[in-house]
Amino acid sequence: MSLTSNIGSTPERGAQEVAAKLTRLIACRTVSRPNRGAEDREEFTRHAQLLTELFPHVAGAVEQHALGITGQLWHWRGTESSKPVVLMAHQDVVPVESEEDWEHPPFAGVIVGGRIHGRGALDDKGDLACILQAADELAATGFIPGQDIYFFFGDCEETAGPTAMLAVDFLSAAGVRPRMVLDEGGAVAGQAFPGINTPVGVIGVSEKGLLDLELTATDAGGHASAPPRFGAVQRIARAVGRLQAKPFPASMHPVTSETFRRLGVGAPGLMGTGLKWVARRGRIAAEALALLGAEPAAMVRTTVAATRLEGSDGINMLARRAAVVLNIRIAVTESVEGVIAGIRKRVRDPQINLSVLSATEPSPISPIDSEGFALLESALGHSHPGARTVPYIMMAATDARRFTGICVQVYRFAPLGMDKAQRGSIHGTNEWVEVAELGRAVSFYTFLLRSL
């Protein structure tokens, strides 16, 4: 079967074709690292070159610009340029901790039982391949989009690297103000909520802010045989305990209320009643959700996670310096400055120093009653009939947040169906996507491109 010629193919054949291309992309070990010098540059270069090789029709129809090291910005000129659209995905993936724990090798792109396995199958090479497959099939027919299209494929999204900002700077310098930006984020979620059996297309309209904060304490150190009553380690441990004992307050943003309202429409019996109650009850409902577990709590409050601890270098030495890194996801109703003040207030220890490692404010809320959101809803109805469209505020971070300064309608959604186990495999073990879902995603992007 040819990897580059599928004109007139059936949806089933088209799905098999894009799956075959995806296997080759997965085989590139494009693992991004905070230290870019530690990355395998040959793998990143090979991946970028494959995009042109596997999708030659659209590659030949666009102007290609390299950004950063191996980031790609492709410009497909349309019949009009007044309302350009940016379609995004990223080439890099997170590391694999233990390849032996995978049912199939994570960088082989194995296709078994109608599924393609491998790191990046869902996050985010599957989505990338479907975007380009749709564009490639259209370009092969001589299709010209109604508006200018920019394809941006970053190479350091997983490490919050600079390539996305380079893309924004490039577009800004060219005077481009996108009508809509679409990046990964939500998905066509099965088992999205207990009692809801129909698939739900969850579209991110904002992202929580992101703050990495280091707390440090110092002490005289010394031999562990004569420990002080309260040293640097104990000081940091107390700070973490205080943060856990007094979480940030819960609140219900209007977007989150709309999330539950739409989930409640058509939900059966008591489940529907409960979801509609949550949508109406504001702070009372938010406080109730915060008691139900980690995921519901993360929907309604700023979260604080202690992710890295440091102490003494020796097992019989007292720490001269102890530290903890906090990964904080900031609710859209709060700010970086306000959260830092809240952390300081909760820690209540002037001898602990706070250092900001990185910080991003919560993203602006993209409108739900917009032309762009309606277009995504129509495309979802075409590719996944019966799926309900639900807006939500993302708890994770994407490259899309970099584009909010040049575009009002910034959405986060990859049109791939995935159940709860698949969603759990993202950044985890045994990541896979159904081949049939790749075909549906191509259908989504084909509809979208034709509708512009």
Side-chain angles (χ1 to χ4, degrees):
M1 178 177 65
S2 168
L3 291 180
T4 59
S5 177
N6 66 345
I7 306 307
S9 64
T10 64
E12 293 77 13
R13 180 184 168 191
Q16 293 293 331
E17 189 161 342
V18 71
K21 296 177 182 182
L22 180 56
T23 63
R24 296 185 62 184
L25 297 178
I26 289 173
C28 297
R29 294 175 177 256
T30 52
V31 178
S32 55
R33 308 281 184 183
N35 174 13
R36 304 219 66 188
E39 296 172 350
D40 191 330
R41 291 265 56 86
E42 290 186 3
E43 292 294 291
F44 276 85
T45 299
R46 183 161 66 98
H47 191 277
Q49 291 172 342
L50 272 177
L51 300 183
T52 296
E53 176 186 331
L54 296 177
F55 307 98
H57 302 294
V58 67
V62 302
E63 300 167 18
Q64 297 188 21
H65 304 277
L67 298 177
I69 305 178
T70 45
Q72 301 291 305
L73 182 68
W74 293 6
H75 180 194
W76 195 6
R77 293 189 182 273
T79 56
E80 295 284 344
S81 60
S82 58
K83 297 181 179 180
V85 170
V86 179
L87 300 181
M88 299 170 56
H90 60 87
Q91 306 176 66
D92 60 313
V93 298
V94 296
V96 172
E97 290 187 6
S98 174
E99 295 195 16
E100 292 74 19
D101 292 337
W102 285 61
E103 182 180 357
H104 302 283
F107 294 102
V110 174
I111 301 178
V112 178
R115 300 174 176 179
I116 180 168
H117 301 260
R119 175 62 86 220
L122 291 171
D123 185 19
D124 184 33
K125 294 185 180 184
D127 187 35
L128 186 158
C130 292
I131 292 171
L132 284 181
Q133 181 70 18
D136 198 62
E137 292 180 7
L138 289 172
T141 68
F143 173 83
I144 298 175
Q147 292 289 338
D148 280 12
I149 307 294
Y150 290 88
F151 302 104
F152 171 61
F153 306 124
D155 62 349
C156 52
E157 190 271 352
E158 296 291 5
T159 56
T163 307
M165 277 308 305
L166 295 176
V168 171
D169 291 344
F170 182 99
L171 294 174
S172 296
V176 176
R177 300 284 297 185
R179 158 199 181 189
M180 182 179 72
V181 172
L182 179 62
D183 194 8
E184 61 154 347
V188 185
Q191 306 166 329
F193 206 86
I196 297 178
N197 298 319
T198 57
V200 178
V202 285
I203 299 177
V205 297
S206 179
E207 299 177 16
K208 296 177 80 172
L210 183 59
L211 171 64
D212 291 318
L213 194 64
E214 185 178 52
L215 277 56
T216 58
T218 57
D219 196 56
H223 200 282
S225 61
R229 187 179 67 85
F230 202 75
V233 169
Q234 289 86 352
R235 194 173 294 280
I236 289 296
R238 184 178 68 180
V240 172
R242 285 175 173 175
L243 290 169
Q244 185 176 15
K246 191 175 182 181
F248 280 79
S251 64
M252 184 73 75
H253 189 275
V255 168
T256 306
S257 294
E258 181 65 7
T259 300
F260 284 100
R261 188 194 71 79
R262 292 199 183 199
L263 287 172
V265 173
L270 291 176
M271 177 56 64
T273 301
L275 290 169
K276 293 170 187 174
W277 179 88
V278 170
R280 294 193 305 267
R281 299 298 293 180
R283 184 169 188 135
I284 294 174
E287 291 172 350
L289 286 170
L291 299 174
L292 293 180
E295 290 187 1
M299 296 180 69
V300 294
R301 68 158 47 121
T302 292
T303 59
V304 180
T307 58
R308 190 170 70 208
L309 289 165
E310 296 179 10
S312 172
D313 291 332
I315 59 174
N316 62 348
M317 296 168 55
L318 297 174
R320 293 174 58 86
R321 176 184 181 276
V324 61
V325 173
L326 305 175
N327 183 261
I328 303 170
R329 306 299 171 117
I330 305 172
V332 294
T333 53
E334 301 189 57
S335 67
V336 170
E337 182 180 2
V339 167
I340 292 174
I343 295 291
R344 199 180 299 277
K345 181 178 179 180
R346 286 165 172 77
V347 168
R348 304 196 313 276
D349 189 340
Q351 295 188 53
I352 287 183
N353 182 61
L354 276 63
S355 300
V356 175
L357 304 181
S358 65
T360 305
E361 297 286 356
S363 299
I365 306 295
S366 294
I368 299 171
D369 57 345
S370 66
E371 184 183 13
F373 194 89
L375 179 57
L376 298 179
E377 196 163 16
S378 295
L380 179 65
H382 177 76
S383 63
H384 294 78
R388 282 184 284 164
T389 306
V390 173
Y392 83 119
I393 295 171
M394 281 188 59
M395 289 167 274
T398 72
D399 275 343
R401 70 191 188 278
R402 312 295 190 186
F403 287 75
T404 56
I406 62 171
C407 182
V408 173
Q409 299 182 55
V410 179
Y411 302 106
R412 296 95 173 159
F413 177 69
L416 292 169
M418 46 183 102
D419 61 21
K420 187 174 182 179
Q422 284 175 284
R423 297 194 294 275
S425 74
I426 295 174
H427 289 205
T429 304
N430 293 326
E431 185 179 349
W432 59 269
V433 65
E434 288 187 4
V435 171
E437 279 302 317
L438 298 176
R440 295 185 185 101
V442 171
S443 177
F444 174 94
Y445 285 115
T446 301
F447 182 95
L448 188 67
L449 290 167
R450 286 189 177 278
S451 300
L452 297 176

